[in-house]
């Protein structure tokens, strides 16, 4: 039923690119905000990027200018183009959705994550 599915992770060399995809199914409410989060070993989970239904975007300082989030608004789909990847970007990347427009509001459904590994 309700599910959030990420894909597109993998192993790349520093400077390379990946494009992550997220698709949500059976959420039960109209999704407003879709976000990407990541958790690296030994670090807290952090918001990487988000986009709401008004087109407002938010990026972590660490990825600003390198990652680009996009969304298909008539579908529960979201993408994140990741360019100029760094080893520090290595993490499990999670997609999350909520009914709220404010990025500070809690995510309500989470995917299982997709591993991104960037080699030096």
């Amino acid at each position: 039923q309700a599910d959030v599915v990420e894909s597109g992770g993998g192993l790349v060399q520093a400077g390379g690119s990946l494009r992550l995809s997220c698709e949500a199914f059976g959420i039960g409410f109209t999704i407003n905000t879709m976000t990407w989060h990541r958790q690296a070993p030994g670090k807290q989970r952090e918001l990487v990027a988000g986009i709401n239904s008004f087109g407002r975007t938010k990026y972590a300082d660490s990825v600003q200018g390198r990652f680009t989030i996009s969304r298909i608004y008539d579908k529960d789909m979201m993408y994140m183009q990741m360019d100029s990847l760094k080893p520090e970007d290595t993490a499990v990347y999670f997609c999350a959705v909520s009914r709220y427009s404010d990025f500070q509001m809690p995510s309500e459904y989470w995917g299982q994550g997709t591993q991104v590994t960037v080699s030096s």
Side-chain angles (χ1 to χ4, degrees):
Q1 301 281 23
D3 201 8
V4 179
V5 181
E6 307 97 336
S7 62
L11 173 64
V12 298
Q13 296 185 41
S17 298
L18 286 172
R19 184 175 177 87
L20 302 185
S21 299
C22 173
E23 188 170 6
F25 306 89
I27 297 302
F29 56 75
T30 299
I31 296 171
N32 193 310
T33 297
M34 301 186 73
T35 49
W36 287 103
H37 309 251
R38 68 185 180 188
Q39 187 163 25
K43 296 184 179 180
Q44 295 182 344
R45 186 167 62 191
E46 64 173 335
L47 175 68
V48 177
I51 184 167
N52 67 17
S53 294
F54 304 106
R56 183 181 179 187
T57 59
K58 181 179 176 67
Y59 294 94
D61 290 342
S62 59
V63 307
Q64 184 74 243
R66 299 189 297 118
F67 292 8
T68 304
I69 194 169
S70 61
R71 181 171 172 177
I72 300 177
Y73 284 97
D74 60 345
K75 299 181 183 294
D76 293 330
M77 296 181 67
M78 176 179 64
Y79 304 95
M80 185 165 67
Q81 178 69 35
M82 304 186 295
D83 296 321
S84 301
L85 283 162
K86 304 176 180 179
E88 303 94 284
D89 296 317
T90 295
V92 178
Y93 284 72
F94 300 90
C95 176
V97 303
S98 81
R99 74 190 77 192
Y100 311 111
S101 62
D102 189 335
F103 296 110
Q104 295 185 336
M105 295 295 289
S107 299
E108 298 182 82
Y109 289 92
W110 293 79
Q112 294 298 307
T114 184
Q115 176 71 46
V116 171
T117 302
V118 184
S119 62
S120 60

